[in-house]
Amino acid sequence: MRKLIMGAGLAAALIAVGVYAGLVPAGWLGKSAARAERTIAAAEPPPPVVTASRVVMAEFRDTVLVTGSLVPREEILVGPEVEGLRVLEILVEDGDTVKKGQVLARLVSTALAAQLAQNAAALAKADAAIAQARSQIVQAQATLAEAKAAFERAKPLRKSGYLAESVYDQRQAAARTAAARLVAARDGLALAEAEKTQIEAQRKELSWRLAKTEVQAPADGVVSRRTVRIGAVASAAGEPMFRVIADGMIELDAEVTETRMPALAADQPARIDVPGVGWVEGRVRLVASEVDKTTRLGRVRITLKQDARLRIGTFASGEITTRTSRGLSVPRSAVLDRPDGAVVQVVIGDKVVTRKVVTGLGTGDRIEIKSGLALGDVVVTKAGSFLRDGDAVKPVLETAPRTSGVF
């Protein structure tokens, strides 16, 4: 470019010298000057073509990435409440949905039924003993009344001398004996009633044990694991017979880096990618109050929307939305980081103007502009770092993507 301009200038100077010396006609000077100007104009390159885009409105989300495994929100361990009985029947399998009170398994109840029959006989015997004791009380009361009456009649006869002392003593002793027999009869009734109460308590225990030979679901849920086998002796020690996911609720037990833990809070929305299932919506239920000193990771529990395809133990990853906003949007590549702050190069007419901007949230390949630009402004998207204020450019607009809430 510079050589062409210098050559054209040198040719014009030589023509001028020739005209002055009379070697070149004077009319050639104007024609040569015009021709030189056209040469210089033709030698100037066109303005560079740059990729540009308009400032548009968009939705933005600040997210925290999480990874972890699917676990039950609440796992119920179901075991036998009656020890030492063999398993007779199993009515559910892994993955079955159960209701509260539904029978999961049955235990052998023959021995308990026999004990309950014996108890019924003992209870009938106790009722008979109580009836007998009450009859004895009635008899003792009648005997006591008769003895007291005889003793009362003996008192005036003794004073008048018509009754011997020995007869008086006999009647007095008979009255005392009848009173003692009444007390004994009443004690016998109390003892019989106590024995009946004991037998009734035993009956309640046997009835309860017999009822517990049916192992029932304590709440609605989904059976996640069945470990019991037919013929095994039921025992509360060791592995439970069934594991039930309460209400079928499954959560993601996730890990988060310690620097992102302060941004998390309960009830924040989340999207979890479960292999083989896809994206599942959820919400943060619990944020741990501590960070592991070794891994520098914190834990968060995310309750997932119910889906029969979810399986506990599955690895999953996703994101938690911590903040959202709606504002002006430009591609990330349009924002240039400089020592004095972020800038964006705006195309006004065919010239580049550099403006300072304040950025906000970023989603995907777009970033929010809080100040410095207006809706509809044209900004240089690519190659902006090679341009300076006032440079002429030819912008080529690219279409804003119709994703991530861009409008």
Side-chain angles (χ1 to χ4, degrees), residues 68-99:
S69 299
L70 301 187
V71 298
R73 175 173 179 175
E74 184 178 353
E75 187 175 44
I76 303 174
L77 306 181
V78 182
E81 298 187 54
V82 180
E83 294 277 352
L85 300 180
R86 292 192 176 276
V87 179
L88 178 65
E89 187 178 8
I90 300 173
L91 303 177
V92 296
E93 296 292 341
D94 294 353
D96 288 351
T97 300
V98 296
K99 296 291 184 181

Side-chain angles (χ1 to χ4, degrees), residues 251-262:
E251 294 184 332
L252 177 68
D253 184 13
E255 293 181 334
V256 182
T257 57
E258 62 179 346
T259 56
R260 299 295 282 156
M261 286 291 289

